[in-house]
Amino acid sequence: MAVEVIMPQMGESIFEGTVTKWLKKPGDKIERDEPLFEISTDKVDAEIPAPAAGVLTEIKVAEGQTVPIQTVVAVIDTAQGAAVIPVASAEAKKAATQPAKAANPAASTPAPVRPPAAAESADVEGEERSSPLVRRMAREHNVDLKGIKGTGAGGRISKKDIQAAIDGRAARGPAPAASEAMATEQSAPPAAIPRERIYFGRYEVQPMSIMRQRIAEHMTFSKRVSPHVYSIDEADMTRIVQLRADAGGEFTRRHETKLTFMPFFVRACVEALRAFPIVNASVDGANLVLHGEINIGIAVALDAGLIVPVLKNAEEKGFLGVQRAINDLAERARGKKLKPEEVHESTFSITNPGVFGGLMGLPIINQPNVAILAIGAIQKRPVVVDDEIAIRSMAYLTLSYDHRAVDGVTGHKFLAQIKRHLEGWSEELL
């Protein structure tokens, strides 16, 4: 019998996904819960396991294609009886182990999935018929979704529909804005460079991956909405380098987790965010949203790009808890095992170009945060200590922050707080 593989819903606010890679091909045998394909959504990239053991007989959705949740993407031939199983769902897996109930044929057809209550109460009709990605693109390009006819399932507005609207408006010229200030804030990006200035000589065209496209969208949006300001300081890491060298082996043996430099910086940032809560905020129009929790996004480099898993409630964790959580998030990020809720709701972010030898970085703010810290490489350098030249392990710290919320004096004081905490480290590691 046939088991239909369904595009899963990877979070309450996600209504579509893109198949980025098939890990099996038609005719391949597959075990239940063995990775079958990879998807990309607005929130996370993930491997999706097979809902049953058998032979993959058909792939219905090609790589690179975006489809609504509950769409049948593949078929597995199995002797266990026909079923429609939403993969990556604990509830569905539980139901799959229970005896099938007699029902009419229509019972095997998935019921239409409605957006959550927040979407149902939306003031704009278009928001009820679109995904978060579509709504974000509409905001970025100042497009009214009410004027777009959706071609997706149930009249939903797809990415293709919003892109066509954006391209069509660009050809007609920008629509008049309600005010000059609004036009400045929400105007579309400049027209693309003429193609003849791009395609010349010998070249090869490589389409951007789905992740690369998402990164491009997010970074362009961030630079457009947030006036970036940068403050740079350097911290003497000699004491911490020595502590890690002395305690690293015992720490790993005792706690079965590797000791890295990142928890030192996270703990320092937590104290600084407590002292300067304005840096742990978001901007909503003319309002500042001061967050009660400290959720730190930590950038993790992947082969295809960058992802920022979030260490939730970092202010409640001790050093060991922070280290365990960091290692777990990084490992699952590289293995595409993150859950959608683990890559959003950050209130501050950290990126570490120093791990690749970068002396310093000027990172783009991870929206909707108002600041991000870049950690440069920890290097031995000659510095003046008590009027004498000494060799110390130094690291540059760069804070990128949104000038709408954070002024220069606050930015420099925030960095100074981090520097003091690192240089005067007193927390026990073991």
Side-chain angles (χ1 to χ4, degrees), residues 8 18 26 48 54 60-61 68 96 123 135 148 154 219-220 239 283-284 287 289 312 315 319 384:
T18 301
I48 304 303
K60 292 179 173 288
V61 176
D123 293 330
R135 294 196 291 274
I148 300 177
M219 296 300 97
T220 301
R239 175 171 171 74
V283 176
D284 179 24
N287 297 322
V289 181
K312 302 286 184 71
E315 77 282 6
F319 186 91
V384 177

Side-chain angles (χ1 to χ4, degrees), residues 70-127:
Q70 302 298 321
T71 298
V72 177
V73 299
V75 178
I76 296 175
D77 186 16
T78 176
Q80 297 182 5
V84 177
I85 306 176
V87 296
S89 168
E91 292 80 4
K93 290 181 179 180
K94 179 179 179 182
T97 64
Q98 298 174 350
K101 297 180 179 179
N104 58 50
S108 64
T109 303
V113 177
R114 294 178 60 82
E120 292 180 357
S121 61
D123 293 330
V124 181
E125 179 187 359
E127 292 192 0

Side-chain angles (χ1 to χ4, degrees), residues 69-264:
I69 60 172
Q70 302 298 321
T71 298
V72 177
V73 299
V75 178
I76 296 175
D77 186 16
T78 176
Q80 297 182 5
V84 177
I85 306 176
V87 296
S89 168
E91 292 80 4
K93 290 181 179 180
K94 179 179 179 182
T97 64
Q98 298 174 350
K101 297 180 179 179
N104 58 50
S108 64
T109 303
V113 177
R114 294 178 60 82
E120 292 180 357
S121 61
D123 293 330
V124 181
E125 179 187 359
E127 292 192 0
E128 297 181 358
R129 302 182 291 111
S130 60
S131 70
L133 170 62
V134 168
R135 294 196 291 274
R136 185 175 68 246
M137 292 176 68
R139 289 194 302 270
E140 292 177 7
H141 296 276
N142 198 23
V143 174
D144 187 355
L145 291 176
K146 289 187 292 185
I148 300 177
K149 182 178 180 180
T151 61
R156 289 181 60 79
I157 301 173
S158 67
K159 180 181 177 182
K160 182 179 178 181
D161 297 329
I162 183 66
Q163 190 62 58
I166 293 169
D167 293 343
R169 193 184 67 172
R172 297 191 301 271
S179 66
E180 183 177 352
M182 185 69 71
T184 301
E185 180 178 349
Q186 298 186 352
S187 59
I193 295 173
R195 295 171 67 88
E196 60 269 18
R197 291 179 56 188
I198 301 175
Y199 295 92
F200 55 85
R202 300 178 61 188
Y203 61 83
E204 176 185 352
V205 177
Q206 293 185 349
M208 285 186 180
S209 66
I210 299 299
M211 175 178 283
R212 192 78 257 161
Q213 293 177 48
R214 299 292 184 267
I215 292 172
E217 292 168 359
H218 295 167
M219 296 300 97
T220 301
F221 176 68
S222 183
K223 289 291 286 187
R224 188 163 71 249
V225 303
S226 294
H228 283 56
V229 183
Y230 308 94
S231 293
I232 301 174
D233 207 334
E234 62 178 344
D236 187 341
M237 298 290 294
T238 305
R239 175 171 171 74
I240 288 178
V241 168
Q242 190 61 52
L243 283 171
R244 180 172 178 265
D246 293 342
E250 177 64 16
F251 187 94
T252 301
R253 186 192 67 79
R254 184 180 299 184
H255 303 300
E256 298 182 344
T257 190
K258 183 180 179 181
L259 176 60
T260 68
F261 285 111
M262 185 57 72
F264 294 94

Side-chain angles (χ1 to χ4, degrees), residues 44-47 300 302 307 309-310 324-340 342:
V44 68
D45 288 0
E47 283 184 350
V300 175
L302 306 177
I307 195 167
V310 181
R324 285 193 188 281
I326 290 171
N327 290 349
D328 174 63
L329 288 170
E331 181 179 352
R332 288 191 294 111
R334 296 186 180 101
K336 299 185 178 180
K337 304 295 185 183
L338 290 174
K339 301 173 184 178
E342 292 176 319

